[in-house]
């Protein structure tokens, strides 16, 4: 099953081959609920992706969009053996978070499609109205162009990946802080340690081009934490917010 194959850490993005609508739907549902967070490039060769503006349940890209899936990137290509998902991943995942988006990339080993303006609009929508938020690799100005790099929900792929990267790094940094200290006191001094780790990671995320000011960190004083959390040595008073660069 998809769940059995997907167990374990060490991977982030799922690709599947020669997909049926049922298989894509099942894999997408699993990814949306997966922990730790992951993403899925769902390739389809269903021509409804480009011939329909998004009014039929047989159009899998429209189905994924209707479910508002934030971790699924639906791609259309008429040659499934060319694996547009793999080519897109190879072009982008080797770059650090904050340094790349998936829009307007040339792909190796994938034939660019010749689509009409209506077909492009059916697949990816327009800048003002992204429609069903599909993606494709097609000619623009005589060159192959992958666009637009959106997830089924309409969010940009790089935004999802950037946030996942920062959240994963924060979790790892806080774990390292606990391991590297004999004890982290449940006091304002201990809170300051955790706050310092968080601020350091957010500073790095800013330098990487992921976030911009205002970046805010809130750390509740140890005395203001609930008795129940204190007894469990659980601190939930650390929170943050930031403005995404893009």
């Amino acid at each position: 099953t998809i769940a059995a194959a997907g167990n374990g850490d060490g991977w982030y993005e799922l690709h599947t081959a020669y997909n049926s609508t049922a298989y894509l739907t099942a894999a997408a549902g699993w990814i949306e609920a997966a922990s730790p967070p992951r993403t899925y490039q769902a390739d389809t060769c269903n021509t409804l992706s480009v011939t329909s503006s998004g009014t039929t349940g047989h159009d899998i890209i429209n189905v994924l969009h209707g479910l508002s899936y934030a971790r699924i990137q639906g791609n259309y290509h008429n040659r499934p053996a060319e694996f547009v998902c793999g080519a897109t991943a190879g072009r982008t995942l080797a770059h650090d978070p904050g340094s790349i988006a998936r829009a307007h990339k040339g792909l190796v080993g994938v034939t660019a499609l010749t689509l009409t303006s209506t077909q492009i609009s059916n697949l990816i929508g327009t800048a003002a109205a992204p429609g069903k938020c599909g993606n494709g690799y097609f000619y623009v100005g005589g060159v192959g162009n992958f666009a637009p790099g959106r997830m089924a929900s309409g969010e940009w792929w790089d935004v999802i990946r950037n946030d996942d990267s920062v959240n994963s790094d924060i979790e790892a940094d806080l774990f390292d802080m606990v391991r590297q200290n004999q004890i982290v006191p449940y006091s304002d001094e201990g809170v300051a340690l955790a706050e310092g780790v968080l601020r350091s990671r957010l500073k790095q995320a800013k330098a990487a081009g992921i976030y911009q000011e205002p970046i805010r960190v809130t750390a509740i004083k140890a005395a203001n934490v609930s008795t129940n959390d204190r007894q469990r040595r659980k601190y939930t008073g650390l929170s943050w917010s930031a403005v995404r660069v893009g």
Side-chain angles (χ1 to χ4, degrees):
T1 65
I2 297 170
N7 284 337
D9 296 326
W11 66 276
Y12 179 66
E13 185 169 272
L14 175 68
H15 303 159
T16 53
Y18 302 102
N19 300 309
S20 66
T21 296
Y23 195 85
L24 282 177
T25 304
W30 188 87
I31 287 292
E32 284 292 314
S35 180
R38 309 181 193 276
T39 58
Y40 175 32
Q41 282 200 69
D43 286 358
T44 180
C45 60
N46 187 335
T47 56
L48 286 172
S49 300
V50 293
T51 60
S52 167
S53 61
T55 58
T56 171
H58 298 292
D59 176 0
I60 183 59
I61 288 182
N62 186 54
V63 170
L64 297 173
H65 174 62
L67 292 168
S68 298
Y69 278 166
R71 299 189 162 276
I72 314 304
Q73 177 185 307
N75 305 326
Y76 168 75
H77 198 275
N78 65 354
R79 300 182 181 181
E82 293 188 2
F83 298 103
V84 66
C85 60
T88 307
R91 178 64 180 83
T92 56
L93 285 177
H95 296 265
D96 290 337
S99 69
I100 195 166
R102 280 186 169 164
H104 311 306
K105 299 296 183 289
L107 302 179
V108 176
V110 180
T111 304
L113 303 178
T114 300
L115 301 179
T116 67
S117 59
T118 298
Q119 289 173 326
I120 293 172
S121 179
N122 285 342
L123 177 63
I124 72 174
T126 64
K132 60 190 178 188
C133 302
N135 300 270
Y137 188 58
F138 48 88
Y139 282 111
V140 175
V143 297
N145 179 69
F146 183 85
R150 286 186 186 273
M151 311 306 265
S153 65
E155 186 57 271
W156 299 105
W157 165 81
D158 51 293
V159 167
I160 298 296
R161 183 202 185 203
N162 291 348
D163 284 352
D164 286 347
S165 173
V166 174
N167 286 321
S168 177
D169 286 342
I170 290 171
E171 184 177 334
D173 291 347
L174 290 171
F175 180 67
D176 285 344
M177 177 202 71
V178 174
R179 290 185 69 250
Q180 292 168 8
N181 287 274
Q182 297 286 31
I183 188 171
V184 177
Y186 210 123
S187 64
D188 288 343
E189 289 75 14
V191 170
L193 279 175
E195 182 181 357
V197 166
L198 176 57
R199 289 187 181 277
S200 176
R201 177 53 62 184
L202 293 176
K203 182 178 180 180
Q204 293 176 61
K206 179 181 177 181
I210 296 174
Y211 300 133
Q212 60 187 334
E213 299 292 346
I215 298 174
R216 297 188 174 93
V217 174
T218 300
I220 297 174
K221 289 186 174 296
N224 294 331
V225 176
S226 70
T227 301
N228 185 51
D229 280 351
R230 288 183 65 87
Q231 289 176 341
R232 295 190 297 163
R233 293 188 174 181
K234 181 179 181 180
Y235 180 73
T236 58
L238 196 61
S239 61
W240 61 278
S241 65
V243 176
R244 297 182 179 112
V245 169

